Amino acid sequence: MANTLITLKNASLAFGDYPLLDNTDFSVQEGERIGLIGRNGTGKSSMLQVLARKSALDDGEIQVKDGLRVVLLEQEPVFPPAPTIRESLIAQSGFDPSDDKLYWKQIAKLDAYLQRLNVRADADPGTASGGERKKAAIALVLAQEPDLLLLDEPTNHLDITTIALLEDLIRETFKNTRALVVITHDREFLDAVSTRIVELDRGILRSYPGNFADYEHHKNYELAIEETARRKFDKFWAQEEVWIRKGIEARRTRNEGRVRRLERLRREREARRDRMGQVNMSIDAGEKSGKLVAELKNVSKSFGDKTVIRNLNFTLMRGDRLGLIGPNGAGKSTLIKVLLGELQPDEGTVRLGTNLHIAYFDQLRAQLDLKKTVADTIAPGSEWVEIGGVKKHIKSYLNDFLFSPQRADSPVEALSGGERNRLLLARLFALPANLLVLDEPTNDLDIDSLELLEQVLEDYSGTLILVSHDRRFLDNTVTQVLAAEGNGEWHEYVGGYSDWVKYRRPQAAPAAAPKAEKPAQPKPARAKSVKLSYKEERELESLPKEIDALETEQQELLEKMAGPSYHELPGAEIKADRDRLEAIPQILEERYERWQELESKREIAENKH
């Protein structure tokens, strides 16, 4: 059985009157990689602080394996003043210089990770970009070789290439006896690294084996059951309320037990924590723009010796949904400014379309006044906002973005990172715009808000330009990609991120000289039997039942592994369950392919006759 590294028992933690952990249990086993998810403000970061023993529980206990080394990567790492990033990291590392041999071994590991993550170790930490600082902080926590690593939003500020590299490093490093707990909104990242998803929801922790895709499957099933149970509860409660209001009959029958039961139902209903509100976003596309939005001909742009755009020809049409992909510093923001006519190219021409009304997310971020209230940020000096020609009270509009009436009067500086991003989206969507430019809109948004934003953008009728390092978000949102591929070269691809990954390599690789081939010679037609054999007929009949049994087994395994005491089972049984759960999708795919193959063969045979 795998050893337990750290355990929370009957853990309680509150922020004011709001419970973050509500008498809950949690443990981390050796070799686990846990994705901790939940809405912004539910207490995920606070829970990591408790696991790192930087904060204490209000009640309950924490049990830690003897000698356990725990390291926490904060969401916004702090760098002590130093001439270089490397020196700043060493100053905060905790490496012990009294053991000379060990000290230099640790420094060598740090240098190796800095190099692998492509960090400029000699850069000034005070002027380094957010991405550079985040990569450096990741290099340090990996070099410290913890038994348990806690990561709080590690993918923020990282480009796609670095995120993929981090996934590889985590899979290589955190297995066997070492474990990981990570908070992230990056669903692709969770799919790549997680062996278990733990959801923090209304103070309760729920565990789901597997990666994020497995969690989504199980969660949908669970929510359907929860909704059914809730409807039954409410119907029963309503019937009892009707009975008690009859008054005379209730007193005449003196059914004390039924009265007490109703009181209990009332308390349960009052205490029941409903699912947290859903963000209600919609975008006013305003008037239509002209058919042409922007046209670039032979455009080039350089800064000193660095060329960021080289001889680019590109046309953006009304209704296009364009994603810009490239590493940090490749020139994505520069390309946007050129497309919008805000920055003149060194060479070539830019032609903008007519009747353009532009809403630019990054510009709004820069204009955010921390001293203003949330309401004044949306509608300065007014209690109303107009969306799509319809007036709406500002507090009602902000409620759509999960801001309570009290929160609407709070200053912006009191908001969390996720709340500020929701506020920026509320301000953005209050502007009628037929060209929407979103530069990294997903940072600090929780997964629920991300998925809703995807739905809203799907319904948006205007033109969209999106910069994002969230691969799933790109796939679900854009229909074409402009990718930076080095030396100022930008290439266009149809589809989203996955399509770019699929098609970029053959195009980027040097073309190999085609081998001389003999012209294909027609082969004489030969009669071939396509009729199903007796054995194949029996196989075709059994396949639907076999597929059904596999899907049932998969669901039963998911339910078993989501049980609260599952981690207490013998390690061999847990491993066997995980191996089987990982194997079933491949077996199912093979069975479906075989079913299709046999069905096609039978159809051909029937058509011939």
Side-chain angles (χ1 to χ4, degrees):
M1 181 174 179
N3 289 324
T4 301
L5 300 180
I6 195 165
T7 300
L8 300 180
K9 284 192 171 182
N10 302 318
S12 294
L13 184 68
F15 180 73
D17 294 331
Y18 182 77
L20 303 176
L21 295 174
D22 193 357
N23 196 36
T24 193
D25 296 338
F26 173 74
S27 63
V28 182
Q29 311 291 325
E30 289 181 339
E32 280 199 299
R33 298 192 297 266
I34 297 172
L36 180 59
I37 65 173
R39 281 284 182 84
N40 289 335
T42 54
K44 300 186 298 297
S45 294
S46 298
M47 183 172 159
L48 286 198
Q49 293 286 334
V50 168
L51 292 173
R53 287 168 288 175
K54 294 189 173 186
S55 295
L57 292 168
D58 295 335
D59 198 9
E61 61 177 311
I62 180 169
Q63 298 175 350
V64 182
K65 181 183 175 184
D66 288 344
L68 185 74
R69 291 169 300 159
V70 183
V71 172
L72 169 65
L73 175 73
E74 304 272 6
Q75 201 170 135
E76 294 296 336
V78 176
F79 282 72
T84 68
I85 283 178
R86 182 176 183 272
E87 290 172 84
S88 180
L89 293 173
I90 292 171
Q92 61 179 301
S93 67
F95 296 159
D96 184 6
S98 64
D99 185 336
D100 194 63
K101 186 175 180 182
L102 176 61
Y103 179 73
W104 288 108
K105 184 179 177 183
Q106 291 171 323
I107 296 292
K109 282 177 183 170
L110 175 60
D111 288 338
Y113 279 118
L114 287 170
Q115 185 174 8
R116 191 160 179 189
L117 287 162
N118 197 27
V119 178
R120 293 183 300 115
D122 59 348
D124 180 350
T127 58
S129 68
E132 197 81 10
R133 289 162 65 88
K134 181 60 74 77
K135 288 193 295 182
I138 290 170
L140 176 60
V141 297
L142 291 174
Q144 289 170 318
E145 296 190 312
D147 302 307
L148 174 60
L149 178 59
L150 310 173
L151 299 176
D152 195 349
E153 294 289 1
T155 65
N156 276 3
H157 307 298
L158 298 186
D159 57 36
I160 289 173
T161 303
T162 307
I163 293 171
L165 176 58
L166 179 57
E167 291 169 355
D168 291 340
L169 288 170
I170 285 173
R171 285 193 296 261
E172 288 172 18
T173 307
F174 293 91
K175 54 188 178 182
N176 301 326
T177 61
R178 300 175 68 187
L180 169 84
V181 180
V182 57
I183 298 170
T184 181
H185 61 265
D186 190 321
R187 295 156 291 178
E188 199 77 16
F189 185 86
L190 287 171
D191 269 344
V193 306
S194 299
T195 60
R196 177 156 68 108
I197 298 293
V198 173
E199 180 187 43
L200 180 53
D201 178 26
R202 297 162 280 180
I204 305 300
L205 291 167
R206 294 183 176 88
S207 180
Y208 302 85
N211 61 13
F212 187 76
D214 298 320
Y215 157 80
E216 285 183 303
H217 175 76
H218 193 93
K219 187 66 177 177
N220 289 336
Y221 172 75
E222 192 177 83
L223 287 175
I225 292 174
E226 182 182 321
E227 187 60 32
T228 301
R230 179 170 300 189
R231 283 200 302 268
K232 287 179 180 176
F233 177 96
D234 286 345
K235 184 178 180 181
F236 182 59
W237 164 77
Q239 289 170 344
E240 294 301 284
E241 288 289 356
V242 169
W243 170 78
I244 198 69
R245 280 175 174 76
K246 290 180 179 178
I248 294 173
E249 181 185 336
R251 285 194 296 273
R252 187 188 306 127
T253 57
R254 294 189 176 278
N255 192 335
E256 300 284 344
R258 191 169 179 182
V259 173
R260 286 196 300 271
R261 181 176 65 188
L262 176 57
E263 289 301 318
R264 189 176 71 250
L265 286 172
R266 285 172 173 172
R267 288 195 300 272
E268 284 181 25
R269 192 170 190 275
E270 183 179 353
R272 184 175 75 191
R273 289 194 196 139
D274 291 330
R275 292 181 65 203
M276 297 178 70
Q278 296 289 337
V279 184
N280 182 20
M281 302 180 190
S282 60
I283 308 175
D284 181 3
E287 299 177 18
K288 276 189 177 182
S289 68
K291 191 173 181 181
L292 174 75
V293 174
E295 182 183 57
L296 278 62
K297 286 188 175 181
N298 302 317
V299 165
S300 295
K301 183 67 183 177
S302 299
F303 295 96
D305 295 333
K306 184 178 180 181
T307 300
V308 293
I309 306 173
R310 186 188 301 275
N311 199 34
L312 175 61
N313 291 283
F314 175 72
T315 302
L316 186 67
M317 304 298 290
R318 183 178 66 217
D320 282 354
R321 313 171 73 77
L322 174 68
L324 300 183
I325 293 178
N328 290 337
K332 298 185 292 294
S333 296
T334 298
L335 179 53
I336 287 175
K337 290 175 182 175
V338 171
L339 270 168
L340 300 182
E342 295 180 1
L343 187 64
Q344 293 300 311
D346 299 333
E347 298 175 14
T349 58
V350 177
R351 182 162 69 101
L352 294 177
T354 57
N355 199 32
L356 288 179
H357 300 284
I358 303 167
Y360 192 178
F361 183 79
D362 191 60
Q363 287 179 335
L364 292 178
R365 184 185 287 131
Q367 295 166 7
L368 207 56
D369 187 340
L370 301 183
K371 300 299 180 185
K372 279 188 176 181
T373 66
V374 171
D376 279 342
T377 299
I378 304 297
S382 174
E383 293 188 358
W384 300 89
V385 62
E386 188 171 316
I387 309 293
V390 178
K391 277 194 172 183
K392 196 168 190 177
H393 195 275
I394 184 61
K395 291 192 175 179
S396 174
Y397 178 68
L398 284 168
N399 188 58
D400 290 342
F401 290 81
L402 299 185
F403 291 104
S404 66
Q406 296 80 13
R407 204 61 167 158
D409 294 325
S410 300
V412 173
E413 63 185 352
L415 302 183
S416 69
E419 287 175 319
R420 290 186 191 186
N421 248 25
R422 284 209 310 274
L423 177 61
L424 288 169
L425 290 170
R427 185 175 176 187
L428 182 79
F429 294 169
L431 303 171
N434 51 34
L435 174 56
L436 194 59
V437 183
L438 301 179
D439 194 346
E440 289 296 346
T442 65
N443 282 347
D444 300 314
L445 288 184
D446 57 50
I447 290 172
D448 282 355
S449 299
L450 269 179
E451 291 177 345
L452 188 65
L453 179 56
E454 289 171 354
Q455 293 173 22
V456 170
L457 292 175
E458 185 177 335
D459 296 333
Y460 176 59
S461 60
T463 306
L464 173 69
I465 301 176
L466 172 68
V467 177
S468 179
H469 296 141
D470 188 319
R471 295 155 292 178
R472 181 80 61 89
F473 190 75
L474 281 164
D475 270 344
N476 293 344
T477 306
V478 305
T479 56
Q480 65 195 103
V481 161
L482 260 182
E485 298 187 337
N487 300 317
E489 298 287 343
W490 293 81
H491 293 151
E492 185 179 0
Y493 299 85
V494 174
Y497 167 79
S498 298
D499 300 287
W500 170 66
V501 168
K502 183 177 180 181
Y503 295 111
R504 64 174 170 159
R505 295 193 183 280
Q507 292 188 9
K515 294 180 180 178
E517 294 183 1
K518 294 180 180 178
Q521 298 294 323
K523 294 182 179 179
R526 185 174 60 176
K528 185 179 179 181
S529 172
V530 291
K531 187 179 178 182
L532 291 182
S533 67
Y534 175 80
K535 184 179 178 182
E536 288 174 328
E537 286 281 5
R538 299 287 75 76
E539 184 184 1
L540 183 56
E541 286 178 15
S542 68
L543 276 169
K545 294 177 184 176
E546 190 177 348
I547 289 169
D548 187 53
L550 283 165
E551 289 176 339
T552 301
E553 181 188 1
Q554 186 180 45
Q555 185 60 44
E556 288 173 349
L557 276 171
L558 284 168
E559 290 173 8
K560 175 185 175 183
M561 295 168 82
S565 57
Y566 179 75
H567 66 277
E568 297 173 3
L569 293 175
E573 183 176 348
I574 291 174
K575 185 178 186 305
D577 286 346
R578 285 179 178 169
D579 290 346
R580 180 61 177 166
L581 195 62
E582 289 177 5
I584 286 176
Q586 179 62 35
I587 299 170
L588 276 170
E589 187 176 343
E590 290 169 0
R591 296 299 183 271
Y592 274 115
E593 287 179 359
R594 180 61 173 160
W595 190 8
Q596 186 176 8
E597 178 188 341
L598 292 175
E599 282 285 7
S600 300
K601 189 173 180 180
R602 184 165 68 178
E603 285 177 15
I604 293 170
E606 288 173 354
N607 291 337
K608 288 192 73 173
H609 296 286

